[in-house]
Amino acid sequence: MAGNGRTVRDLRRANRTAVLQRLYFDGPLSRFELGPATGLSSGSVSNVVADLIADGLVEEAGSVDSDGGRPRTLLRVAPASGHMIGVDVGETRVRVELFDLALTELARTERPLEQQRYEVEVIVDHIRSGIDEVLAAAGLAPERLLGVGIGVPGIVERTAGRGAVVHGQTIGWDAVPLESLLRDGSPLPDGVPYFIDNGARTLGQAEMWFGAGRGAENALVVLFGSGVGASLVTPEVRHGRAVEWGHLTVRVRGRRCRCGALGCLEAYAGAESLLARWSEEGGRVPQDTDEETALTAMLAAAYPADGADADPVALAVLEETAEYLGAGLSDLINLFQPERILMGGWAGLQLGSRFLPAVRRHALSYALRHPAERVTIELGKLGPDAVTVGAAILPLADFFDRGGRRPDPDPTVPAPAWREALRDRVPR
């Protein structure tokens, strides 16, 4: 037994985790560099590296000259030593992607959702069949997976017996036991875990690890799609926390939101409401098409590329939407005083650089001066796959927390608290 109630096994796992993390985020590194990077002695580094190489998790990646001595061998995490699946239960489609340990995409598939219909059985079937498809495409056996991460709209609660339960009021999901439904007839062995979380939070995690949020201590990552949501990352909440920002009231007795309340930000700023308002004002919204296509048409009408006159209705609705979004962001600035605000999601990326300056201007004008002077507001860097990447990070973080050990195949043995495992995994 080690000090503070920690066993030798705990210390060994923590050392393996420290080495894996630094090689993953900062590698390739030599054994000499791993000492100061991890705080471990040279002997501990040598022992841990030897174990990780024996397990196939670490491999050599060339060498560099040392000061007067023999060249130092560089080490890196072996990309093929683990695989994860990330799933985005989005507003227009279910996207499933298979990644190796370096988060290189190996296979993907998408299942369109008809008119944003979220029948539970349909979503479950899309996820199951999508998992089957990407595994078959890559020729990967299911038992080689570290886990499946899933980003969903709504609040996710972990319960005893039923696993992750999703409360998605805006999509008609009332305490849906998604994890147990996926387990019933699952194509995966019992030892392969599911990790289910809010899609805005998985988007935020991806941007904080690999995107525009890297290096920030305080950040808000905004998901702007059919609706809007946000993820908050602070030193106290390093693993991120989903914020139901879209249901902040911005107008008393305002428009009816799809959650049923009046005056929510989402009733004005989501792509669904944006297109509805364009139609109500007499705009020519394309019929019998999906939201992404319709929003593309709206942008083309408001900002014509050929020098033609802009559609004044589309332009006015977009400008009003920018002000609502800016006002909503000002509340987040005042409440949380972030260093950075990053806007992602398919609609946010589609509106992009044409839309962001107006959002930024309104946000800073409504916010208190001191926090407004400290914040930057930018687009996310990871594109439309950010939610699936963030979802795949969930099993990856659990894998790190286990020191590179695979989940115990016995489902009665509780796994480490992977949400807390993310807390200290933001790269330096």
Side-chain angles (χ1 to χ4, degrees):
M1 178 76 71
N4 300 320
R6 302 181 73 190
T7 66
V8 172
R9 181 178 180 182
D10 292 334
L11 291 174
R12 186 179 297 117
R13 184 177 68 189
N15 291 347
R16 285 170 60 100
T17 294
V19 170
L20 279 172
Q21 284 181 205
R22 295 282 56 91
L23 286 177
Y24 191 82
F25 292 117
D26 302 329
L29 296 171
S30 67
R31 290 172 177 81
F32 179 79
E33 292 170 310
L34 278 169
T38 60
L40 300 176
S41 68
S42 59
S44 294
V45 167
S46 294
N47 290 335
V48 171
V49 167
D51 285 346
L52 294 173
I53 290 176
D55 290 344
L57 295 175
V58 168
E59 62 187 16
E60 295 185 357
S63 62
V64 291
D65 292 334
S66 62
D67 296 332
R70 293 183 302 173
R72 291 181 179 139
T73 301
L74 294 176
L75 304 167
R76 68 173 184 178
V77 173
S81 60
H83 300 82
M84 303 82 64
I85 286 177
V87 180
D88 175 12
V89 179
E91 293 141 333
T92 60
R93 61 178 59 86
V94 174
R95 178 181 287 129
V96 182
E97 296 183 57
L98 173 67
F99 301 92
D100 66 14
L101 206 62
L103 283 175
T104 300
E105 181 191 300
L106 304 179
R108 74 154 56 200
T109 186
E110 294 185 353
R111 303 287 196 272
L113 297 178
E114 296 182 5
Q115 298 178 346
Q116 295 179 287
R117 298 177 66 180
Y118 287 93
E119 288 93 342
V120 175
E121 295 80 6
V122 172
I123 298 296
V124 169
D125 182 66
H126 283 341
I127 295 173
R128 284 178 182 162
S129 62
I131 290 171
D132 275 339
E133 185 174 331
V134 296
L135 289 174
L140 188 74
E143 56 270 17
R144 293 185 60 191
L145 284 175
L146 301 178
V148 177
I150 304 172
V152 297
I155 299 169
V156 180
E157 175 188 20
R158 190 141 195 101
T159 65
R162 297 196 299 172
V165 173
V166 182
H167 305 272
Q169 189 169 326
T170 60
I171 61 172
W173 283 19
D174 183 14
V176 171
L178 183 59
E179 184 173 351
S180 62
L181 291 173
L182 287 168
R183 277 288 172 210
D184 293 339
S186 171
L188 303 178
D190 288 342
V192 177
Y194 288 96
F195 302 85
I196 301 172
D197 210 335
N198 176 271
R201 207 203 69 82
T202 67
L203 169 68
Q205 193 64 55
E207 289 289 350
M208 294 303 292
W209 273 34
F210 302 111
R214 184 163 182 166
E217 287 291 317
N218 301 272
L220 280 154
V221 184
V222 173
L223 192 158
F224 182 14
S226 290
V228 292
S231 175
L232 168 69
V233 180
T234 69
E236 295 77 25
V237 197
R238 292 291 293 272
H239 55 285
R241 182 180 73 209
V243 180
E244 289 296 333
W245 176 56
H247 303 289
L248 175 149
T249 301
V250 295
R251 189 165 181 173
V252 177
R253 293 187 294 276
R255 290 174 58 87
R256 179 78 62 183
C257 177
R258 58 182 181 171
C259 76
L262 296 176
C264 294
L265 175 63
E266 191 167 290
Y268 296 91
E272 179 181 306
S273 60
L274 195 157
L275 293 167
R277 286 162 50 224
W278 185 31
S279 177
E280 290 164 9
E281 295 295 328
R284 297 180 179 179
V285 181
Q287 302 300 309
D288 301 322
T289 188
D290 59 48
E291 276 187 356
E292 294 186 36
T293 303
L295 187 59
T296 298
M298 185 178 189
L299 284 169
Y303 308 109
D306 55 6
D309 292 335
D311 177 340
V313 176
L315 187 59
V317 171
L318 282 169
E319 288 177 346
E320 185 182 41
T321 299
E323 184 165 8
Y324 275 114
L325 270 174
L329 289 179
S330 74
D331 289 329
L332 297 180
I333 293 170
N334 291 342
L335 285 169
F336 303 115
Q337 302 182 26
E339 295 173 46
R340 301 179 199 174
I341 294 177
L342 309 173
M343 188 166 75
W346 67 264
L349 296 173
Q350 203 165 329
L351 293 169
S353 58
R354 287 176 172 173
F355 191 66
L356 191 61
V359 173
R360 185 186 294 117
R361 184 176 67 253
H362 289 302
L364 300 184
S365 69
Y366 281 112
L368 292 170
R369 184 172 60 254
H370 178 68
E373 289 173 347
R374 297 176 60 249
V375 70
T376 60
I377 303 174
E378 306 294 339
L379 290 176
K381 290 184 177 179
L382 297 182
D385 292 339
V387 173
T388 49
V389 171
I393 285 175
L394 301 179
L396 177 60
D398 178 70
F399 182 63
F400 282 161
D401 190 56
R402 294 174 182 275
R405 306 292 188 191
R406 290 179 176 271
D408 195 306
D410 183 353
T412 65
V413 176
W418 55 268
R419 288 175 185 269
E420 293 304 318
L422 288 172
R423 179 179 56 201
D424 300 319
R425 305 298 187 259
V426 177
R428 297 186 289 198

